[in-house]
Amino acid sequence: MWFKQLCVFQLDADWTLPPAALETLLAQRPLAPCPASSPEITGWVPPADDGVLVQSLGKHLLIALGWETRLLPSGVVNDAAADKAEAFEQQRGFKPGRKLMKEIKEQVAAELLPRAFTRRTALRAWIDPDAKRIVVDTGTASKAEVLIEHLRDALGTLPVVPWTVDSSPAVTMTNWLMAGQAPGQFFIDDACELSGSDDTRSVVRYVRHELLPAQLKRHVDEGLRATQLALTWDGQLAFTLTEPLVIKKVKFLEADNEDADRVDNAQIAFEADFALMTGTLGKVLDALHAALS
């Protein structure tokens, strides 16, 4: 259940909805089978294996938005459309134009869609009422916004904004690189990306490389700024901080060591993981906010 990426939203008001009430609201919008004529459908699904739509531990809540998508590869549509276009040419004596070809493809897609296989995926979100945060397990802000919009629809209102800090994350990360260290319990790891803001959009990436200020200085002098930076926190968590404040490649460094002591009871194991994850991530997000502000 470990979150691999973090897209963070800040609540503008206190979260007062208890788990049971949230469960009732989400249950009104469950994920249903995708209609034959639709490419995709969304709805709420259990974030764990017990069928419950809202997992709670203390004040922390875990929910999940599900997708059922019809898989219709573009190559299949193009091949079928090409066959129809060939038949059209044989009947009419000329090839269909661009507009007609587009209509043929749309018709073919509509005909094939009901026979397409379906696939289900889910996106989880952690609600932290005390910190007034909603954290979505994705590195794509637009996908996180979809979950937020569905949650807003279910609740009727949801005053949230994307996570922001007082200073430019790119400038702050660049300053850390030039100083050769990050503040507090954060440590610079072995990867970064520096990007230019001019028309050339220059990008320099270092991967599995010691990040020495003397080597990086010439890129900074050329106008490049750090847009991604690999960090570790207190020997417990590794991640990549990005300029849009989306956290990627999250890895709990102690999680692998916990596997050997894992209990057989799935619910107890789930609660232990949830407690460890929320406890660690909560501290990291608080520390990051302080370091970037």
Side-chain angles (χ1 to χ4, degrees):
M1 69 150 298
W2 305 97
F3 279 27
K4 302 298 184 185
Q5 304 180 90
L6 312 175
C7 194
V8 184
F9 296 83
Q10 199 72 42
L11 286 159
D12 278 345
D14 291 338
W15 180 277
T16 59
L17 195 65
L22 179 58
E23 175 88 22
T24 298
L25 291 173
L26 298 189
Q28 297 173 10
R29 302 165 181 262
L31 180 62
C34 188
S37 59
S38 298
E40 183 179 86
I41 191 170
T42 56
W44 298 102
V45 297
D49 297 330
D50 58 3
V52 177
L53 292 176
V54 180
Q55 292 287 338
S56 62
L57 186 65
K59 293 185 179 181
H60 297 283
L61 306 173
L62 187 68
I63 59 176
L65 182 68
W67 278 261
E68 183 164 291
T69 306
R70 291 193 173 274
L71 305 177
L72 188 57
S74 58
V76 174
V77 175
N78 291 337
D79 289 345
D83 291 340
K84 280 188 174 290
E86 184 177 353
F88 177 92
E89 183 178 2
Q90 291 176 353
Q91 293 174 1
R92 302 292 184 89
F94 61 91
K95 294 182 179 180
R98 181 179 299 177
K99 181 179 179 181
L100 182 56
M101 195 65 206
K102 180 181 178 182
E103 293 175 356
I104 289 174
K105 287 186 178 181
E106 291 174 349
Q107 178 186 359
V108 166
E111 292 172 353
L112 294 177
L113 195 61
R115 291 179 279 164
F117 290 106
T118 59
R119 179 182 63 186
R120 285 199 169 195
T121 56
L123 181 62
R124 293 171 300 168
W126 156 41
I127 302 170
D128 184 350
D130 283 345
K132 298 174 71 172
R133 276 194 294 252
I134 299 178
V135 182
V136 186
D137 185 12
T138 180
T140 306
S142 59
K143 194 170 184 180
E145 288 280 2
V146 172
L147 184 145
I148 293 295
E149 283 301 318
H150 277 75
L151 185 57
R152 182 177 289 115
D153 289 343
L155 302 184
T157 181
L158 183 63
V160 295
V161 293
W163 182 28
T164 59
V165 293
D166 296 336
S167 303
S168 163
V171 171
T172 301
M173 289 189 290
T174 303
N175 290 339
W176 294 350
L177 283 172
M178 290 299 92
Q181 63 181 5
Q185 294 175 292
F186 293 104
F187 298 90
I188 295 175
D189 214 329
D190 61 355
C192 73
E193 177 179 292
L194 300 103
S195 301
S197 58
D198 56 13
D199 294 337
T200 62
R201 297 190 180 276
S202 303
V203 176
V204 176
R205 294 186 180 93
Y206 288 86
V207 180
R208 294 186 295 277
H209 193 286
E210 186 178 5
L211 303 180
L212 300 175
Q215 293 181 344
L216 299 171
K217 185 177 183 302
R218 67 182 181 91
H219 299 304
V220 174
D221 290 343
E222 292 170 355
L224 275 65
R225 294 293 180 266
T227 50
Q228 295 188 26
L229 179 60
L231 297 165
T232 58
W233 178 81
D234 194 30
Q236 299 180 45
L237 193 79
F239 61 93
T240 297
L241 177 63
T242 70
E243 183 181 14
L245 291 179
V246 174
I247 299 172
K248 301 184 177 183
K249 300 180 181 179
V250 177
K251 183 177 182 181
F252 291 78
L253 302 177
E254 297 182 355
D256 293 338
N257 298 330
E258 303 261 341
D259 290 342
D261 301 324
R262 192 166 297 280
V263 297
D264 293 333
N265 187 298
Q267 184 61 29
I268 293 176
F270 176 88
E271 291 178 358
D273 285 345
F274 193 22
L276 178 60
M277 184 188 79
T278 56
T280 304
L281 290 182
K283 293 176 183 177
V284 171
L285 290 173
D286 287 343
L288 263 181
H289 190 84
L292 291 167
S293 295

